[in-house]
Amino acid sequence: MKKLIISCGGTGGHFMPGLSIARTFQEQGGEVLLLLGGKNAPKQMETARKYNIVSMSFPASYPSGNPVRMTKFLFHLMGGYPKCRKAIKEFQPDALLAMGSFASLAPVLAAHASKVPVFLHDGNTKLGKSNMFLSRYAKAMALSFPTLNAKRAKCPTINTGFPLRPELVSGQLSKAEAIAELNRLYNETLSPEKPTVLVFGGSLGADTINRKLIVEGDPAEMRDVQFLRLTGPGRLDALKEIYAGQNCKVLALESAQEMHLFYSAADLVVSRAGGSTVSELAVYGKYALLLPYPFAAENHQEDNARWLASAGGAEILHDNEASEHDFTVWLQNWLKNQELFRKHGEQSKAIANPDASQQVLDMIKNITSSLK
């Protein structure tokens, strides 16, 4: 396989693993083209350019029962399909990989009509509606996790794992090394000897995590705990105000690119339960308190969280159960039993798959070679 098109439009949950596969394929001498659909395409194209990966955008939106939105979806499909068909004709790929979402509908239909083998990737523990529909056109679907409804796919499924950014996979450091680098980058005075908790809510933040997962009062035993908090855009000032009256050490940022440093520095992680997050936690072997996003499609974050918890690496806390008091009590218990929690986190490495990008590529190569 010399040429591969990857359709990974839509949210970052589709784009980032697609970009990781593209980078791996390109590093091996392959030629790749990203097809990006939807409102996030301009920003995603900028990211792709940083890695010298060629990309193009096309109009895309999601189907809906609302007549106006459905009309918009069909209008975008009619505009996106010929653009994707032309790109496929000019690029002449050996295969097309779609990373899920209805933003991939036009590329998949165009590839199928062009007799280019289609492959899919699903990033959660439940197949999305789009992938279930698109599977009728696919040779195979790569799964990030043992998927609860995999039998509903109309093509063979293969468990490959969730493709992670190469920096995350290869960037693991000792806690002391990571703390030293965070101090250098952010002019901080964090200590590698102190218990360190990483709290974040994803690229857009999470209101529940920012507002409710705060230490109640100022307990003496919590004053030695260091918090690394990534709030999401527009939420940093409010969080700093909350922590202003407390004595614990806090490094608070809206976001950070150096997630390998934050994971390596942390003794405990508190976060949502997206497919990438639970996969990263397993690779790093970090124990986590997970708050699944309650409005995720088909409640898939709950299932993602259960996957990590099944290996002993996580506990689940629901949004409607979150409070400052309960969070403080939970942390106090963690402080008394840090070594036990650390060992539980290490257990999750048994279900980690750091080579997922390569496994997806191997799946495509093996099947396309058998078709010739």
Side-chain angles (χ1 to χ4, degrees), residues 8-15 35-41 44 60 62 100-101 103-104:
C8 51
T11 65
H14 301 110
F15 171 70
L35 294 182
L36 304 171
K39 63 181 181 180
N40 297 317
Q44 291 169 350
Y62 293 84
S101 96
S104 288

Side-chain angles (χ1 to χ4, degrees), residues 157-188:
T157 59
I158 300 171
N159 198 338
T160 62
F162 191 103
L164 300 176
R165 284 179 287 161
E167 297 84 5
L168 280 169
V169 175
S170 63
Q172 298 186 52
L173 302 172
S174 69
K175 180 181 178 180
E177 290 171 328
I179 291 286
E181 186 62 11
L182 288 174
N183 285 337
R184 186 188 70 80
L185 287 173
Y186 298 105
N187 194 28
E188 278 291 344

Side-chain angles (χ1 to χ4, degrees), residues 273-288:
S276 61
T277 298
V278 296
S279 299
E280 290 158 7
L281 288 167
V283 167
Y284 278 76
K286 299 293 182 177
Y287 194 85

Side-chain angles (χ1 to χ4, degrees), residues 258-305:
E258 310 87 1
M259 283 303 295
H260 64 291
L261 297 179
F262 288 85
Y263 279 130
S264 296
D267 299 303
L268 170 73
V269 178
V270 182
S271 69
R272 289 299 194 195
S276 61
T277 298
V278 296
S279 299
E280 290 158 7
L281 288 167
V283 167
Y284 278 76
K286 299 293 182 177
Y287 194 85
L289 178 63
L290 297 176
L291 282 80
Y293 180 54
F295 304 109
E298 299 182 33
N299 201 27
H300 66 257
Q301 285 207 8
E302 176 88 16
D303 296 313
N304 294 348

